[in-house]
Amino acid sequence: MIDVSHLSKRFGGFNALDDVSLRITPGKLVALLGPSGSGKTTLLRILAGLDHADGGAVHLNGLDASSLKTRDRRVGFVFQHYALFRHMSVAENVAFGLKVRKGPDKPSKAEINDRVARLLDLVQLSGLAGRYPSQLSGGQRQRVALARALAVEPRLLLLDEPFGALDAQVRKDLRRWLRQLHDDMGLTSVFVTHDQEEALELADEVVVMSKGRIEQIGTPADIYDNPATPFVFQFLGNANRLEAQVQNGIAQVAHWRVPAPAIADGPALAFIRPHEIEIDPSGNDAVIRHQVILGPTVRLDLHLPGGAHAEAVIDRDSHARLGLEPGRQVGLGARRVVVFAAP
Amino acid sequence: MSAKSVRVIPGFSATLGLTIGYLSLVVLIPLAALILKAAGMTAQQWLDTLTDARVLASFRLSFGGAAIAALINGVFGLLVAWVLVRYPFPGRKLIDAFIDLPFALPTAVAGIALTALYAPNGWIGQLLPFKVAFTPLGAIIAMIFIGVPFVVRTVEPVLQDVDSELEEAAACLGASRVQTFLRVILPSIAPALLTGISLAFARAVGEYGSIIFIAGNLPGVSEIAPLLIVTKLEQYDYVGATAIACLMLAVSFAMLLAINMLQKWNRQRLGGLS
């Protein structure tokens, strides 16, 4: 169990972390999701002991972590740019954490070789044990970095934008593979990402951060379906942001009237996802100003009465069937409108 | 198949010609003249020169002293480079500029200044319980002085490139600071360090100006080989001077070549990334 309570950290005048509390259950794969500058990497580094908090505490299995040096924490850390030791072969990199042990903890040469072989097998790099990092591709380097981190049997595996430097296809494969590995080995992992798709696909639990604060914690489905703040809604995918007026628990958003029981009367903000807008060719709620074909889908730029704009995304088939083109008047339906009180 | 490969930068033959021409003019022709002169010597003359106790002693001091000085410079130069790269402190730029002074200072000035300091009645000399100036130790001090910039200047840029993430990765894997330095940082900067040490060594072997002031130049004890060459020239013993020069050249060349080979082997091992 990892317990983070009321953590704060400042860099000069900048609040990197502001009263952050978080509990990580063993066996979970947790994503720290946020834009750059949201404090997610700082939090990860504090968990590893690479940075120190100004206030608050971290408890690793009940032990106050401030008394533990990085090297005594038994955390595996995977860096975005791998941080492999380039003068060591793949096998030597993986063995490093075992070779630097001292006294009775130090495994014998045979044990080290054995464990390195098993780990390289696990990350599917058995044939490359003798290569040097400069002779590997980005995806292979990242797998070496992972094997190296796993060699010390970490209590907690921390990954800092682990797929950030890789191209799209490799990233996809590695993601799936990491999820598998996490489950097979029974790890507890925390990874940092700014890619919402990655967080939603990979994590058991997503922690959305912004400006050093936690915006929301929940399962991927939970935070997608029930975003707690406008920030979370907007960060988890494209969103149309529209002005709204609430009166007696009903919000007026463009031509839509949606129930908003928890929100006080007055101005409010409403969000609609582009793919949750339905186009009715016989209505006249908006005018299509522009359309862009994006592979299997079409993005429509819509002009709403009153000067507001919205985007809708529909599939190519419907687009062709409805015979849509710029300049045409259409009716708009919405499968879901989320209303927040005005900030 | 086309026999001629296309090069990005044109004029390979012109640049190669210029390189060889320039090298010949500046380095190869003078050295060739030296060897030509030596080629006229008989075997007996060679044997006489090379078994002369005074010559052998001067070689011991020149090469042995240079090796010791280069190693000391290796350790302290690394330390200086480390401090200059890793810790921002007031006056760092100034200290950084001081490092190059031994390059610029006339060696005689350095020699006289060091002698004044380390003489038995000098500021430092009077504090030490043993003699420094006018002994082989003095020669080594001068050799250290003139070799300081080499290690610092070769290690500095490489050390700047050593990512602090490597140290953090090592710490996460359980390595102590000493282990991190010995197993992670030192191997990454070793090629540059070795280059710096060999440059400092080569410079110290050839050093003349500053050493002759401080060493005392006692034949067989604190006399360096370059001085012996000058002495022989002054006595019109051109053959003896040439023999010593040739031998110095051969030993220096062999050592530098060996270091170069070591570097090349090391680079290949790292896949050309260092």
Side-chain angles (χ1 to χ4, degrees), chain A residues 45 48 50 70-72 74-77 79-88 93 96-102 106 132 134-135 148-149 152, chain B residues 158 161 163-180 182-188 266 268-274:
Chain A
R45 290 175 59 84
L50 299 174
T70 298
R71 64 183 160 108
D72 300 322
R74 285 222 355 241
V75 293
F77 202 104
F79 294 84
Q80 183 179 0
H81 298 289
Y82 328 122
L84 293 178
F85 307 131
R86 62 182 189 181
H87 60 281
M88 297 183 200
N93 263 286
F96 183 86
L98 302 171
K99 283 185 180 166
V100 295
R101 285 195 189 163
K102 284 177 191 153
K106 184 167 179 167
Y132 285 87
S134 57
Q135 301 166 315
R148 183 179 68 176
V152 296
Chain B
V158 181
D161 281 347
D163 209 329
S164 59
E165 274 188 1
L166 290 179
E167 289 163 54
E168 292 175 350
C172 287
L173 293 167
S176 67
R177 278 160 190 273
V178 175
Q179 283 172 322
T180 303
L182 291 180
R183 285 166 178 260
V184 175
I185 298 170
L186 198 58
S188 334
N266 195 37
Q268 276 170 349
R269 214 166 53 95
L270 297 189
L273 250 190
S274 85

Side-chain angles (χ1 to χ4, degrees), chain B residues 40-61:
Chain B
M41 290 169 60
T42 63
Q44 190 55 47
Q45 282 174 311
W46 272 108
L47 204 65
D48 285 347
T49 313
L50 301 185
T51 50
D52 183 3
R54 190 173 165 192
V55 173
L56 289 178
S58 76
F59 266 70
R60 251 199 310 279
L61 180 57

Side-chain angles (χ1 to χ4, degrees), chain B residues 30 123 214 264:
Chain B
W123 286 352
I214 193 172
K264 194 178 163 202

